[in-house]
């Protein structure tokens, strides 16, 4: 007989909250769009004027502080409660780091990037031409995923230059069937990049009991509020020539932390 506990149903917010706060949520999402558009217009102007190194520093910092402003507004509105200040300790470390996190929601990269102004992301190549993301992504020297070989080379170069490369080893958001403390199987790649760059893997545990922005959850459907996210630093793993074995250790570590960590 299976001892796996049933997956709790993912609940929407009560009706009165949806009626009162859904319009405000759309205002916040519109505000995020405005921040993104203004930043990308500025990035479009700065792109030909700045060197690669200077452009990357300015672009990444601009993205970080833009997202930080958005999350501050979301918290001030009462819709969200976010505790991610533990990540600030990484900003005093000059070395390049792979930031490996679990992936419960679409907000994860924005939450991490808001605290780390040296964040580097790997993006779908099609997003580089997106009106909201394209110029800013190019200014920040984010990495397109169109060619695996070029992607790995660019990731290694970024790490050697002191960047914080954000990767989600699950490859996609956690499946709802895995439960609020669940995890998808890890995909290869992260430990190989760590080996080639000789860069440590710093784990970040993202804890939330909210289904909002999780896989299959519509962005316009409000979850019970406040929507709470807590990000904490986990163990740091050094690169290992046996990168497949390291990947398994990494996955085992995340599963243990999510199963036994502090209540969300």
């Amino acid at each position: 007989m299976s001892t796996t506990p049933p997956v709790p149903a993912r609940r929407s917010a009560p009706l009165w909250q949806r009626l009162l706060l859904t319009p405000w949520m759309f205002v916040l999402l519109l505000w995020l769009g405005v921040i993104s558009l203004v930043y990308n217009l500025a990035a479009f102007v700065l792109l030909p004027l700045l060197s690669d190194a200077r452009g990357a520093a300015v672009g990444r910092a601009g993205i970080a502080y833009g997202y930080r402003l958005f999350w501050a507004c979301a918290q001030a509105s009462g819709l969200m409660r976010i505790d991610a200040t533990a990540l600030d300790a990484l900003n005093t470390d000059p070395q390049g780091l792979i930031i490996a996190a679990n992936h419960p929601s679409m907000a994860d990269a924005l939450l991490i990037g808001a605290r780390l102004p040296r964040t580097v992301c790997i993006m779908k190549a099609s997003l580089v031409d997106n009106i909201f993301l394209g110029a800013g992504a190019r200014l920040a020297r984010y990495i397109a995923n169109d060619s695996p070989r070029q992607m790995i080379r660019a990731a290694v170069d970024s790490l050697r230059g002191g960047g914080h490369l954000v990767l989600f080893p699950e490859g996609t958001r956690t499946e709802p069937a895995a439960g609020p403390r669940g995890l998808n199987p890890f995909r290869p790649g992260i430990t190989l990049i760590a080996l080639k760059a000789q860069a440590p893997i710093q784990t970040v545990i993202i804890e939330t009991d909210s289904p909002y922005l999780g896989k299959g959850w519509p962005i316009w459907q409000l979850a019970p509020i406040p929507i709470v996210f807590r990000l904490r630093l986990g163990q740091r793993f050094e690169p290992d020539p046996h990168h497949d074995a390291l990947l398994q250790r990494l996955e085992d570590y995340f599963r243990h932390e999510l199963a036994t960590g502090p209540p969300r």
Side-chain angles (χ1 to χ4, degrees):
M1 180 180 297
S2 172
T3 59
T4 303
V7 176
R10 303 198 299 171
R11 298 177 296 111
S12 296
L15 178 61
W16 70 268
Q17 287 186 355
R18 297 202 303 271
L19 292 175
L20 289 175
L21 296 175
T22 296
W24 179 239
M25 181 184 68
F26 278 106
V27 169
L28 281 174
L29 292 174
L30 179 61
W31 176 232
L32 178 60
V34 170
I35 292 173
S36 297
L37 186 58
V38 169
Y39 165 73
N40 275 275
L41 288 173
F44 182 80
V45 173
L46 293 173
L47 196 55
L49 303 178
L50 300 178
S51 65
D52 286 358
R54 185 61 178 165
V58 170
R60 293 169 190 176
I63 290 171
Y65 292 113
Y67 286 155
R68 193 175 296 190
L69 173 63
F70 171 72
W71 293 127
C73 294
Q75 291 190 87
S77 73
L79 283 175
M80 304 190 77
R81 188 183 304 149
I82 299 168
D83 179 6
T85 55
L87 275 64
D88 293 351
L90 301 179
N91 292 322
T92 61
D93 189 341
Q95 72 173 322
L97 291 172
I98 295 176
I99 309 298
N102 56 308
H103 202 4
S105 85
M106 199 160 49
D108 302 333
L110 280 66
L111 289 166
I112 294 171
R115 308 308 310 186
L116 302 179
R118 286 151 50 204
T119 290
V120 185
C121 293
I122 295 177
M123 300 177 62
K124 291 181 179 179
S126 59
L127 292 179
V128 175
D129 297 322
N130 184 286
I131 185 173
F132 287 104
L133 299 173
R138 291 193 297 272
L139 181 65
R141 271 50 183 194
Y142 281 5
I143 300 167
N145 68 350
D146 49 350
S147 166
R149 182 174 296 179
Q150 291 180 4
M151 180 186 72
I152 291 175
R153 185 182 301 117
V156 169
D157 289 345
S158 178
L159 288 164
R160 288 174 176 168
H164 289 146
L165 178 65
V166 176
L167 295 175
F168 299 103
E170 295 174 83
T172 185
R173 283 172 289 167
T174 308
E175 293 288 343
R181 292 183 180 270
L183 200 68
N184 297 332
F186 280 10
R187 298 182 181 180
I190 181 171
T191 52
L192 178 60
I193 293 174
L195 179 62
K196 287 183 175 294
Q198 285 298 294
I201 299 173
Q202 172 63 59
T203 59
V204 172
I205 314 299
I206 302 176
E207 297 169 317
T208 180
D209 60 1
S210 174
Y212 188 63
L213 296 180
K215 198 161 190 177
W217 188 273
I219 193 171
W220 59 86
Q221 183 177 342
L222 190 64
I225 62 166
I227 299 166
V228 178
F229 285 95
R230 177 173 180 260
L231 283 70
R232 58 186 174 90
L233 296 179
Q235 182 177 333
R236 186 173 294 191
F237 291 79
E238 296 299 322
D240 191 323
H242 305 288
H243 56 87
D244 291 336
L246 176 57
L247 183 68
Q248 187 59 57
R249 293 203 305 274
L250 196 63
E251 180 176 341
D252 291 345
Y253 171 76
F254 269 96
R255 291 191 183 278
H256 179 268
E257 283 296 306
L258 290 170
T260 62
R264 300 179 186 184

